[in-house]
Amino acid sequence: MREILVADDHPLFRDALKRAILTAWPNALMHEADSVESLQALVDAHADADLLLLDLHMPGANGFSALVHVRSQYPGLPIVVVSAHEERAVVARAIAHGASGYIPKSASVAAIVEAVRSVLAGGVWVPTDANAGPLQPAEADAAARIAELTPQQFRVLAMIAEGLLNK
């Protein structure tokens, strides 16, 4: 039985992702998060999950920070980014930051299932018109620093990025 984590702040899109997964794996256990904070608790509780479907733009996330942080805390958990951004550069950066796949939100159910199957089989899946390249050195350095943060340090950094005080 597959255990899939879905992290997206839009309830309708979370539901659509769950339905797409359940068409291929009707007995899959599905768990949801709607923010980076709830994602951290979810991943902590289900560290042995088979896959994480992760939206890049959720409350508490700044760019690829959530991807980098979860990747560093749970290196064995395959992560597929699900995003409305379809630019080649964004896809390439997500893969360079450790995503095992990238699904545009405009993808069909068949494409979502294909991507998930490919990643669960150990592959990397990106849209056919995307190609992945290396990160710029400054971005790679920032990602390495984010990866070293503890969960609490990451929460504080996310709050500071939102303009809150560091108290």
Side-chain angles (χ1 to χ4, degrees):
M1 182 180 317
R2 297 290 184 184
E3 187 172 19
I4 311 291
L5 311 178
V6 179
D8 195 300
D9 60 329
H10 295 97
L12 288 174
F13 202 77
R14 276 196 319 271
D15 188 56
L17 283 172
K18 289 185 337 186
R19 288 176 187 267
I21 296 301
L22 291 172
T23 62
W25 297 277
N27 297 323
L29 293 174
M30 306 291 294
H31 306 284
E32 304 176 41
D34 62 359
S35 67
V36 172
E37 184 177 341
S38 64
L39 170 62
Q40 185 65 52
L42 184 68
V43 176
D44 288 346
H46 303 281
D48 57 347
D50 295 299
L51 181 71
L52 167 61
L53 297 171
L54 175 66
D55 180 24
L56 288 178
H57 300 289
M58 292 190 306
N62 189 1
F64 295 92
S65 63
L67 169 63
V68 169
H69 187 67
V70 172
R71 168 61 50 237
S72 70
Q73 298 294 309
Y74 301 94
L77 175 63
I79 302 171
V80 174
V81 169
V82 181
S83 179
H85 295 284
E86 298 189 25
E87 300 87 7
R88 287 182 177 189
V90 175
V91 175
R93 290 173 64 203
I95 299 301
H97 280 299
S100 299
Y102 192 98
I103 301 172
K105 285 192 173 180
S106 63
S108 67
V109 170
I112 293 170
V113 170
E114 175 189 338
V116 169
R117 278 196 173 119
S118 177
V119 170
L120 288 174
V124 173
W125 193 94
V126 294
T128 55
D129 61 346
N131 55 2
L135 293 174
Q136 295 295 321
E139 187 172 357
D141 181 56
R145 291 173 187 252
I146 289 172
E148 294 174 356
L149 297 176
T150 67
Q152 181 60 27
Q153 290 170 329
F154 182 75
R155 280 191 286 275
V156 170
L157 177 64
M159 288 186 274
I160 290 172
E162 291 176 11
L164 300 174
L165 297 177
N166 67 349
K167 295 179 181 181

